[in-house]
Amino acid sequence: TTNTQRLITSHDGDQMYPAVSAEGKIVVADRRGSSGNSWNVYLYDLNTNTEKRLTSQTLAASPTHISISGNYVVWIERNSAGYLHLYLYNLLTDKLTQLTSYPSEQFYSSISGSGVVWVDTRNKVSGDSQYQYNSDIYYADISPIISSLNPINKFASILQSLSEMLKTLQQIVNK
């Protein structure tokens, strides 16, 4: 077998925390330019040789622990209150959803199918230092979120509602 290597990013600045999907999509934290903390999450599609910025606003700190599965990307990002939280990005709808909101830190996220896991410090013991968290592993089945974000499911839901309305109208007319 041949080991074929391919350069994916070559921008000035830092590109970190890469993850690749079975479908040939790569996601990375990217700080373009040589100064400041202007971070974003980018998607590189190996099949189409295209690049897409996933974050709508530049982040002050590097998003970390990026993971991709199918059309969904998760990462950890520091919010305006200073906590690290878990975010989900839907590649089909370009919608970003914050998955955690506890006043604690989340780390090491990973997604596979409709399952997301991460390390969470919400049970931290008072007085613990930054490196002595009482951390736990959490799992979330994001099927309901995925279902609500999927445009096909929304269309199916609208069709179902219209069908029910038509049945009701037919009953009224037939009376």
Side-chain angles (χ1 to χ4, degrees):
T1 59
T2 307
N3 180 358
T4 304
Q5 297 180 9
R6 179 174 161 187
L7 178 64
I8 302 301
T9 65
S10 62
H11 305 287
D12 288 345
D14 297 317
Q15 293 84 44
M16 303 175 71
Y17 309 110
V20 64
S21 73
E23 298 82 16
K25 295 176 182 173
I26 297 172
V27 286
V28 299
D30 191 320
R31 182 181 65 132
R32 298 202 172 165
S34 57
S35 63
N37 277 334
S38 299
W39 289 94
N40 287 286
V41 177
Y42 279 86
L43 169 84
Y44 300 91
D45 190 320
L46 296 175
N47 301 309
T48 62
N49 292 316
T50 57
E51 170 188 280
K52 178 179 182 179
R53 183 174 142 178
L54 302 185
T55 44
S56 61
Q57 43 186 316
T58 300
L59 309 172
S62 170
T64 62
H65 313 297
I66 302 171
S67 180
I68 183 169
S69 180
N71 289 307
Y72 301 94
V73 181
V74 294
W75 66 80
I76 302 294
E77 176 184 315
R78 190 167 302 281
N79 70 3
S80 59
Y83 293 110
L84 294 171
H85 284 296
L86 178 62
Y87 291 83
L88 171 73
Y89 188 88
N90 181 331
L91 296 171
L92 296 173
T93 63
D94 295 323
K95 182 169 169 81
L96 181 66
T97 304
Q98 184 175 335
L99 295 179
T100 58
S101 58
Y102 299 96
S104 63
E105 306 277 304
Q106 286 81 44
F107 304 98
Y108 306 111
S109 57
S110 182
I111 185 170
S112 181
S114 63
V116 177
V117 294
W118 68 95
V119 173
D120 197 302
T121 64
R122 70 181 77 171
N123 297 317
K124 179 180 175 183
V125 177
S126 179
D128 281 353
S129 75
Q130 180 179 358
Y131 299 103
Q132 294 177 334
Y133 291 118
N134 179 18
S135 58
D136 300 302
I137 304 297
Y138 277 78
Y139 168 85
D141 177 358
I142 58 169
S143 296
I145 295 171
I146 289 173
S147 180
S148 71
L149 296 178
N150 187 334
I152 294 170
N153 289 345
K154 285 184 178 182
F155 183 69
S157 175
I158 291 169
L159 285 178
Q160 180 66 32
S161 296
L162 287 173
S163 175
E164 290 170 10
M165 288 171 54
L166 284 173
K167 286 178 186 176
T168 303
L169 284 173
Q170 277 182 326
Q171 289 173 353
I172 292 171
V173 169
N174 291 336
K175 287 185 179 183

